[in-house]
């Protein structure tokens, strides 16, 4: 993470981050096709040349919106998975926790975490083959590493059945990150405690589904 002194001393970094933050918000609100570069430049108070300088194209801007969040998220996931697998007695719940908790924590990020969840949901919903290929090429290995860890703990499941179940777990996680559910945070419960409860319930539910 960069501190504020670095941000103020480096105008290029500040402009780039401002564009990314605005693009993330607009893509979350209007979709990738619905949000234009003109809207991005107007909201970020920059000209088109600045977007072209930092990103080159709208497609590359979209990819960088994902990269700045998913790189960090998947570093945390893989570090958590490595820590879990270093223990000989690790359980299915431990691996699920390594997959689920970093994502829920990122969704709590006050600097755009909620907007990115909506962007992520659009990536699942919109049929953008270029974007799907980008996500698969850059982050597919993370899911494969987790799938391998799950397969070792669930030897009774055929590969296709395991992948079906993991897809359902990932969908439930996205839903939980977006906080769309019936369970709403009570006024006397902190955001962190609410997310902790969400993580515990989701891990327990996912473990039961994977073992069935």
């Amino acid at each position: 993470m960069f501190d504020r002194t670095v941000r103020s001393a480096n105008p290029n970094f500040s402009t780039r981050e401002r564009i990314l933050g605005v693009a993330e918000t607009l893509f979350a609100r209007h979709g990738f096709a619905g949000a234009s570069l003109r809207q991005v430049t107007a909201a970020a108070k920059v000209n088109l040349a600045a977007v072209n300088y930092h990103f080159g194209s709208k497609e590359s801007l979209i990819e960088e919106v994902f990269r700045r969040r998913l790189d960090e998220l998947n570093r945390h996931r893989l570090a958590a998975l490595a820590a879990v697998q270093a223990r000989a007695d690790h359980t299915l719940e431990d691996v699920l926790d390594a997959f689920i908790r970093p994502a829920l924590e990122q969704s709590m990020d006050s600097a755009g975490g909620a907007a990115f969840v909506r962007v992520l949901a659009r990536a699942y919903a919109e049929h953008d083959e270029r974007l799907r290929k980008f996500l698969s090429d850059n982050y597919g290995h993370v899911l494969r590493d987790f799938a391998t860890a799950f397969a070792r703990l669930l030897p009774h499941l055929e590969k296709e059945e395991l992948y079906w179940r993991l897809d359902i777990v990932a969908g439930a996680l996205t839903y939980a990150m977006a906080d769309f559910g019936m369970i709403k945070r009570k006024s006397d419960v902190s955001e962190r405690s609410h997310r902790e409860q969400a993580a515990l319930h989701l891990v327990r539910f996912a473990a039961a589904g994977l073992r069935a």
Side-chain angles (χ1 to χ4, degrees):
M1 292 293 291
F2 290 83
D3 62 28
R4 296 179 184 225
T5 58
V6 173
R7 293 186 183 197
S8 61
N10 188 336
N12 287 333
F13 175 81
S14 178
T15 299
R16 187 178 189 279
E17 286 297 299
R18 188 164 72 253
I19 294 169
L20 284 170
V22 165
E24 182 177 74
T25 299
L26 290 174
F27 292 147
R29 188 176 301 157
H30 303 296
F32 305 114
S36 68
L37 282 183
R38 185 182 296 275
Q39 289 174 301
V40 172
T41 56
K45 296 182 171 58
V46 298
N47 57 33
L48 186 59
V51 175
N52 288 333
Y53 171 76
H54 288 289
F55 305 103
S57 67
K58 182 180 178 180
E59 289 75 17
S60 294
L61 172 60
I62 292 170
E63 290 174 1
E64 286 303 311
V65 166
F66 281 93
R67 197 186 299 278
R68 76 166 181 159
R69 300 284 187 187
L70 292 181
D71 283 2
E72 179 182 10
L73 169 59
N74 287 307
R75 277 196 300 271
H76 290 164
R77 274 177 162 167
L78 291 175
L81 179 61
V84 163
Q85 292 182 313
R87 305 196 314 266
D89 61 344
H90 68 272
T91 65
L92 179 61
E93 284 81 0
D94 294 330
V95 177
L96 280 165
D97 192 80
F99 183 72
I100 288 168
R101 192 175 299 276
L104 286 175
E105 289 178 352
Q106 186 179 80
S107 70
M108 291 173 55
D109 183 359
S110 59
F116 181 69
V117 173
R118 294 193 295 275
V119 171
L120 192 60
R122 286 190 178 274
Y124 286 117
E126 295 189 13
H127 297 286
D128 185 327
E129 290 306 319
R130 176 188 171 116
L131 178 55
R132 289 188 178 190
K133 185 176 186 306
F134 166 78
L135 293 173
S136 177
D137 289 349
N138 288 274
Y139 305 106
H141 69 283
V142 178
L143 297 180
R144 287 190 294 272
D145 285 353
F146 273 93
T148 299
F150 286 125
R152 291 194 187 103
L153 294 164
L154 299 163
H156 64 289
L157 291 181
E158 297 291 335
K159 182 177 180 180
E160 183 177 0
E161 179 63 25
L162 174 62
Y163 275 55
W164 270 108
R165 297 187 190 196
L166 292 179
D167 269 354
I168 293 168
V169 170
L173 173 57
T174 303
Y175 188 85
M177 289 167 66
D179 201 20
F180 288 145
M182 293 183 291
I183 305 298
K184 300 300 180 185
R185 181 172 66 87
K186 297 177 181 178
S187 59
D188 60 341
V189 176
S190 71
E191 181 70 22
R192 181 162 296 280
S193 293
H194 181 68
R195 292 295 182 186
E196 178 70 20
Q197 284 298 307
L200 291 173
H201 281 283
L202 186 50
V203 166
R204 189 180 305 136
F205 181 82
L210 288 172
R211 285 195 177 103

